[in-house]
Amino acid sequence: MSIKKLAGQTLWYGVPRIFSRFLSFGISLLGFQLFDPNGSYAFTQIYAVVPFLNILFTYGLETSYFRFAQDHDRQKLYNTLNVSIIITTILFTALLFLFEKPLTSFIGMQRHPEFVTWMIWIVFFDTLYTIPMARLRQEERPRKYAFINMFSVLLNVALVLFFFYVAKPAREADPYTFLGQLYRPEIGIGYFIISNVIASAACLLLLYKEFTSFRFEFDMKLWKEVMKYSYPLIIVGFGGMINEMLSRLVYQKVSTATVTQREFELGVFGANYKLAVLITIFIQIFRMAAEPFFFNQSRQEGAQRMYARVMKFFVIACCFMFLFIALFLEAWKVLIAGKHPEYAEGLHIVPVLSMASIFLGIYYNLSVWYKLTNKNMTGAYITIAGAVITILLNIWWIPQFKYTGAAWATFCCYFFMMAISYVLGQKYYPIPYPKKKLITYLVIVTLMYILHEMIARNLDPHSSYYKITYYGAGLLFFALFTLLIMKVERKELARLPFVGKFFARPATR
């Protein structure tokens, strides 16, 4: 697969994914609009745990499918992994229900134990279609993959809007009507979770062809081989989730604030974490196309040079996204603090979390070395070290700096994971990354944000020229970085599909 094909498939995965994630993002922001930080605390907490459980339930089989599809019978592999994941999903779900009360207490959801029940069902349904969806990606069928994702999110959005803008007003008008009975005020933000359960279950219906092609056949030898490769990926998978999960759990244990204040702070932290979502979305859609690409490309001549080019374009794209977020925070503030201004007090952590997300994305790109060299356990050790850093820094900083300390702990953790993965990767699977150039780009966008922030802080926010200066300076810095990339990367841009013709130098006579 060429970079042109990778770019095309990234668009197929990306455009619907971006649209669907923006809808999901909008729905979560609606939750922050409808409920104050104390009310949104449960929502933030539940969706910090769901990704953690998804990784545990799928135990690296998605990546393993791409890896083993290169040199094994694909139907046998598909059958074996499906049997494995169906059996373990039923087992893990039963265990969660058996220990539901301790789990509820552990994540601090005693006031809403029913939310934990619904969360378990979300994980159950999401896990069952993991391998069928991986098959769509491996077979390069991004259209169906995109359609299923879009359908799920649109259904989720429609249900949320129904509960809060149809059923709720109906209850307020007459609680004894059919529609009025569908809304219960005590559930509140829990309807966001209920809508997710229904949408996740509905996705299974759209994959009926993939499920009907599955046969209940199990190859024990193949399964053992897959598991030997896969089990370290359980820990590796936590790389993107350890801060989402651990920061909140540790926060509850080490914060010296009252319960009410602690819930308020976690609500503010969760709302502002959402503003780093643009970079997170890009990382996710990039991985959708890039993971099978990396495995397919590994046997081609010049694979390492190709990986280096992919990394460069990835970092450049992330830099633009960082500037888009960090230079226009005033605009983003309206999204989360329009109705509840108290959310805006945590806005300063957004650039920190955005840069941390870039580090995590770079780490995902770097991880190709241990996946191709079958050194997944090394990736697991990196993740464990990152988790230790997260815990220690949160214990140290949260009592002093609240959620600001949690944000910087995230930053330091992902920076460490990125740096150590690069050093080890160059030892075991050298790739000629343009290190100096990429570091320069990251430093430049960081300095642009700091300079822009200094300009904003020296302005009177109530003056008539504040917004003109604020947004004008932001646009200027964005344009300057664009010109820099166009000049420095002109040759590379000229080789890209579609846009390359705009950067090609005219032939000289």
Side-chain angles (χ1 to χ4, degrees), residues 43-262:
F43 177 80
T44 299
Q45 192 73 342
I46 286 293
Y47 281 97
V49 179
V50 167
F52 178 87
L53 291 177
N54 278 334
I55 292 168
L56 187 63
F57 270 54
T58 57
Y59 48 95
L61 289 191
E62 188 176 34
T63 299
S64 297
Y65 181 80
F66 299 134
R67 167 67 178 82
F68 284 85
Q70 303 301 311
D71 47 22
H72 287 76
D73 183 282
R74 292 183 180 178
Q75 186 60 43
K76 182 186 293 185
L77 178 68
Y78 182 68
N79 292 339
T80 299
L81 297 193
N82 260 321
V83 170
S84 178
I85 211 163
I86 289 171
I87 292 174
T88 55
T89 298
I90 294 171
L91 176 62
F92 291 163
T93 302
L95 287 173
L96 285 181
F97 279 125
L98 183 63
F99 295 100
E100 186 174 357
K101 287 185 178 179
L103 174 63
T104 301
S105 177
F106 181 68
I107 64 176
M109 293 296 297
Q110 295 92 329
R111 290 164 56 184
H112 297 284
E114 69 279 9
F115 289 9
V116 177
T117 302
W118 302 332
M119 176 192 73
I120 294 171
W121 283 116
I122 291 173
V123 176
F124 175 83
F125 291 123
D126 284 353
T127 306
L128 287 180
Y129 58 73
T130 297
I131 301 302
M133 291 290 275
R135 188 177 197 176
L136 294 180
R137 289 169 59 194
Q138 200 282 324
E139 294 178 351
E140 299 180 9
R141 296 160 63 193
R143 291 175 178 83
K144 184 169 184 178
Y145 186 96
F147 172 76
I148 293 172
N149 273 313
M150 284 289 293
F151 174 82
S152 175
V153 174
L154 288 172
L155 180 59
N156 194 349
V157 170
L159 288 170
V160 169
L161 296 178
F162 169 78
F163 282 123
F164 286 101
Y165 292 99
V166 178
K168 183 180 179 182
R171 184 178 181 87
E172 292 170 350
D174 185 354
Y176 300 104
T177 62
F178 173 73
L179 287 176
Q181 290 292 310
L182 293 178
Y183 184 84
R184 290 164 50 192
E186 63 270 21
I187 293 178
I189 204 167
Y191 281 109
F192 286 80
I193 306 173
I194 292 174
S195 300
N196 196 339
V197 174
I198 298 171
S200 294
C203 279
L204 294 176
L205 300 176
L206 299 178
L207 287 162
Y208 71 94
K209 285 188 177 180
E210 282 65 36
F211 279 109
T212 54
S213 67
F214 153 66
R215 298 292 178 268
F216 209 89
E217 299 173 349
F218 187 77
D219 187 317
M220 178 61 75
K221 183 180 178 181
L222 175 60
W223 183 79
K224 287 181 178 179
E225 190 179 350
V226 170
M227 289 306 299
K228 184 178 179 180
Y229 177 87
S230 182
Y231 79 87
L233 295 177
I234 302 172
I235 303 173
V236 171
F238 292 153
M241 307 302 168
I242 53 178
N243 284 284
E244 281 281 326
M245 181 66 176
L246 291 178
S247 292
R248 287 159 174 76
L249 289 178
V250 175
Y251 205 107
Q252 296 184 80
K253 307 300 180 184
V254 303
S255 175
T256 56
T258 64
V259 173
T260 301
Q261 179 63 21
R262 189 164 63 235

Side-chain angles (χ1 to χ4, degrees), residues 295-433:
F295 283 112
N296 292 336
Q297 189 70 29
S298 62
R299 298 183 179 182
Q300 304 297 320
E301 185 178 351
Q304 285 92 335
R305 291 194 301 274
M306 180 69 75
Y307 297 151
R309 289 189 68 209
V310 169
M311 173 70 88
K312 180 165 65 174
F313 286 121
F314 175 84
V315 171
I316 290 172
C318 284
C319 285
F320 277 111
M321 291 181 187
F322 175 82
L323 290 177
F324 184 58
I325 295 170
L327 297 181
F328 305 103
L329 286 178
E330 284 292 319
W332 295 107
K333 181 170 68 175
V334 177
L335 293 177
I336 64 167
K339 187 175 180 181
H340 298 287
E342 55 267 38
Y343 281 121
E345 73 172 50
L347 207 63
H348 61 278
I349 69 173
V350 174
V352 178
L353 293 171
S354 297
M355 186 57 70
S357 295
I358 293 177
F359 294 158
L360 179 62
I362 294 173
Y363 167 73
Y364 283 141
N365 272 272
L366 294 170
S367 67
V368 65
W369 75 264
Y370 61 74
K371 292 178 181 178
L372 292 178
T373 58
N374 293 336
K375 294 184 180 295
N376 292 341
M377 202 63 216
T378 305
Y381 293 144
I382 294 172
T383 302
I384 292 171
V388 172
I389 290 173
T390 296
I391 293 171
L392 293 178
L393 292 182
N394 274 302
I395 292 173
W396 181 15
W397 288 341
I398 286 175
Q400 300 179 62
F401 308 111
K402 302 189 294 186
Y403 48 76
T404 303
W408 279 105
T410 300
F411 180 96
C412 293
C413 168
Y414 290 159
F415 177 82
F416 165 80
M417 292 170 63
M418 172 188 69
I420 195 66
S421 183
Y422 172 79
V423 172
L424 293 175
Q426 294 304 100
K427 178 180 179 181
Y428 293 106
Y429 189 82
I431 296 175
Y433 295 119

Side-chain angles (χ1 to χ4, degrees), residues 425-470:
Q426 294 304 100
K427 178 180 179 181
Y428 293 106
Y429 189 82
I431 296 175
Y433 295 119
K435 181 179 65 173
K436 292 182 180 179
K437 183 179 288 187
L438 299 186
I439 292 174
T440 300
Y441 290 154
L442 291 172
V443 170
I444 287 173
V445 296
T446 301
L447 292 176
M448 283 182 168
Y449 159 69
I450 293 173
L451 184 57
H452 183 262
E453 190 68 11
M454 291 173 62
I455 293 172
R457 291 186 179 185
N458 283 289
L459 296 172
D460 179 3
H462 303 291
S463 65
S464 57
Y465 58 84
Y466 173 77
K467 288 188 176 180
I468 295 175
T469 307
Y470 180 88

Side-chain angles (χ1 to χ4, degrees), residues 29-46:
L29 290 179
L30 176 62
F32 295 129
Q33 291 287 332
L34 294 174
F35 300 91
D36 61 24
N38 295 88
S40 66
Y41 154 75
F43 177 80
T44 299
Q45 192 73 342
I46 286 293

